[in-house]
Amino acid sequence: MGTGIVIREALRDDLDALVELENACFATDRLSRRSFQRWLKGEHSVFHVATSGDALVGYGLVLLHSGTRLARLYSIAVAPAVRGKGIAQQLLGKLEEAAEDEDRFFMRLEVAKENSAAVRLYEKLGYSVFDEWEDYYEDHSDALRMQKRIRFPEYTRYEPRIPWFAQSTSFTCGPACLLMLMSAADPQIEISRALELDLWREATTIYMTSGHGGCHPVGLALAAQARGFHAEVRLSLLSTPFLEGVRATHKKEVLDLVHEQFMERGRASRLPIVHEAVSISQLESWLTEEALVMVLISSYRLNNDKAPHWVVVTAQDELCFYLHDPDVEKLTRSSLDCQDIPIAKQDFGKMLIYGSNRYSAAVVLHR
């Protein structure tokens, strides 16, 4: 371990030294001075530096994603002159402790696939590869995605592999999620924006709390059924959803009419529509059976947005569900941050309820 090294929280007075260190350590993918200024404010992050005497010789930055149990090592750097002395290991240990104090279960990171020394270090510290991202860096090199459970020992995880797809508009979270399920059930399906918009046209409620309409759970299931999938819908209420967020009378009338049309078409096509709230135990059962599940959530705990939002439940373990969120734009998250997001089961139960009438809905594709 490095001797005489002090690990402490980053301060605004460290800005110049941080920029100098960044330029010395990286030829590409550098954090800008403006980025450092942002992260030094300390919002949703852990930012530590390593010092030797008066010199700043390393830093580590971890992002804490709101509403999740996930921490992400966003950047770590050690001055070239002092590498090989255990400073990176010291930094990472302190960052893990701080993330654990913030109630995070997992630390994730990305590392260049060709950086064998860094990969070996992370493996030594308990990280394991769970994915690979091609053409990730500015120089077009590939990245390995690694993960470590920092708060609890590893448990058995049920993980049907589901591809991730970003919604291309602000109102197509439902179609984007359905595309993920359909692609997992049938890898021959070509995921495209054209199909995403087709699904929206088939399932839209026309109106929503604001802007274009979202998608009705029965409409989404009917769209899947029309393409040969064995779909099921679970609804806590059989009445028209989302009415409480709409003020105009003519919009309420349209929502009512569209709802009745979807329910009638569902009955006519013998679509299984179960009148029952979506529960944690039912989600666990579906995932154990390797069914493919998308659920409607209140995304307030994720991004402070009170709108209803569709996500895919990709996997589970003893403590968490894992989600694919199709919306990259909220809080300027990257696509990596939207995949397999760990949410504690005790927290997810609160997210499954939307609005004052405690509405819950799920669309399930059975293999």
Side-chain angles (χ1 to χ4, degrees):
M1 290 292 180
T3 58
I5 298 297
V6 175
I7 308 296
R8 61 167 173 81
E9 292 186 6
L11 305 173
R12 294 187 181 184
D13 289 344
D14 295 323
L15 178 59
D16 289 341
L18 284 165
V19 174
E20 182 178 350
L21 177 64
E22 185 78 357
N23 291 336
C25 291
F26 302 110
T28 61
D29 296 277
R30 291 172 175 164
L31 292 181
S32 66
R33 185 181 187 87
R34 185 174 181 179
S35 294
F36 279 120
Q37 288 175 322
R38 174 189 176 191
W39 296 120
L40 283 168
K41 294 178 181 178
E43 297 180 359
H44 306 296
S45 65
V46 174
F47 199 170
H48 286 173
V49 297
T51 61
S52 178
D54 294 332
L56 191 151
V57 296
Y59 81 82
L61 173 61
V62 169
L63 307 187
L64 305 173
H65 298 291
S66 178
T68 80
R69 299 304 175 100
L70 177 65
R72 179 185 172 204
L73 181 64
Y74 189 66
S75 186
I76 188 168
V78 174
V82 294
R83 289 176 184 169
K85 298 182 178 181
I87 297 173
Q89 186 171 341
Q90 284 182 268
L91 265 171
L92 192 52
K94 290 295 185 181
L95 292 168
E96 289 176 358
E97 289 176 11
E100 183 180 351
D101 289 342
E102 293 290 338
D103 212 21
R104 295 313 195 264
F105 293 171
F106 293 92
M107 180 80 85
R108 289 182 181 172
L109 57 87
E110 294 82 48
V111 59
K113 186 177 181 179
E114 62 189 26
N115 190 346
S116 56
V119 173
R120 285 196 300 270
L121 173 63
Y122 291 134
E123 289 176 337
K124 175 184 175 183
L125 297 178
Y127 288 82
S128 58
V129 176
F130 71 97
D131 199 3
E132 185 173 332
W133 197 267
E134 295 182 355
D135 196 20
Y136 179 73
Y137 294 104
E138 287 181 1
D139 62 1
H140 303 292
S141 60
D142 300 339
L144 298 177
R145 301 185 67 197
M146 305 185 77
Q147 176 174 277
K148 176 183 178 181
R149 178 162 246 158
I150 59 175
R151 185 167 178 183
F152 293 98
E154 198 66 49
Y155 291 91
T156 301
R157 184 174 174 187
Y158 310 95
E159 187 171 7
R161 186 63 183 161
I162 299 177
W164 177 82
F165 179 76
Q167 62 190 75
S168 66
T169 75
S170 62
F171 50 87
T172 50
C173 58
C177 287
L178 186 56
L179 278 175
M180 298 184 217
L181 301 193
M182 288 166 39
S183 180
D186 181 2
Q188 300 303 314
I189 286 183
E190 182 178 349
I191 292 180
S192 67
R193 189 179 191 189
L195 181 53
E196 176 195 15
L197 295 176
D198 278 343
L199 295 173
W200 177 77
R201 281 190 290 266
E202 294 172 35
T204 181
T205 58
I206 301 180
Y207 290 119
M208 188 51 78
T209 52
S210 62
H212 292 86
C215 284
H216 195 288
V218 175
L220 289 166
L222 286 168
Q225 187 185 65
R227 289 164 175 81
F229 294 97
H230 178 201
E232 173 191 341
V233 182
R234 185 158 299 226
L235 305 171
S236 63
L237 299 172
L238 297 181
S239 54
T240 306
F242 316 130
L243 275 179
E244 62 185 17
V246 177
R247 295 182 180 180
T249 300
H250 73 281
K251 290 184 178 182
K252 290 178 181 287
E253 291 173 349
V254 170
L255 280 170
D256 273 328
L257 177 58
V258 170
H259 171 73
E260 290 303 323
Q261 288 177 320
F262 281 134
M263 296 300 287
E264 178 58 35
R265 291 170 187 168
R267 289 188 289 267
S269 67
R270 297 186 178 181
L271 174 73
I273 301 175
V274 180
H275 179 201
E276 188 174 308
V278 181
S279 66
I280 296 298
S281 61
Q282 182 60 67
L283 281 172
E284 291 173 333
S285 177
W286 281 327
L287 292 173
T288 302
E289 296 166 3
E290 296 192 353
L292 301 164
V293 186
M294 56 186 284
V295 295
L296 190 74
I297 66 168
S298 171
S299 59
Y300 184 77
R301 287 177 173 81
L302 285 177
N303 53 38
N304 296 321
D305 189 346
K306 295 183 179 180
H309 184 56
W310 288 101
V311 296
V312 172
V313 186
T314 63
Q316 66 171 325
D317 60 24
E318 296 290 333
L319 296 170
C320 295
F321 289 118
Y322 298 79
L323 310 182
H324 277 355
D325 184 347
D327 190 353
V328 183
E329 298 301 322
K330 298 295 183 183
L331 299 183
T332 63
R333 294 182 297 173
S334 76
S335 59
L336 295 179
D337 298 329
C338 297
Q339 300 175 42
D340 294 308
I341 307 167
I343 307 289
K345 289 181 177 179
Q346 64 189 39
D347 298 333
F348 196 53
K350 300 172 185 176
M351 297 171 68
L352 284 171
I353 300 167
Y354 177 76
S356 60
N357 61 4
R358 302 178 66 80
Y359 184 73
S360 63
V363 176
V364 184
L365 300 190
H366 295 281
R367 296 177 189 259

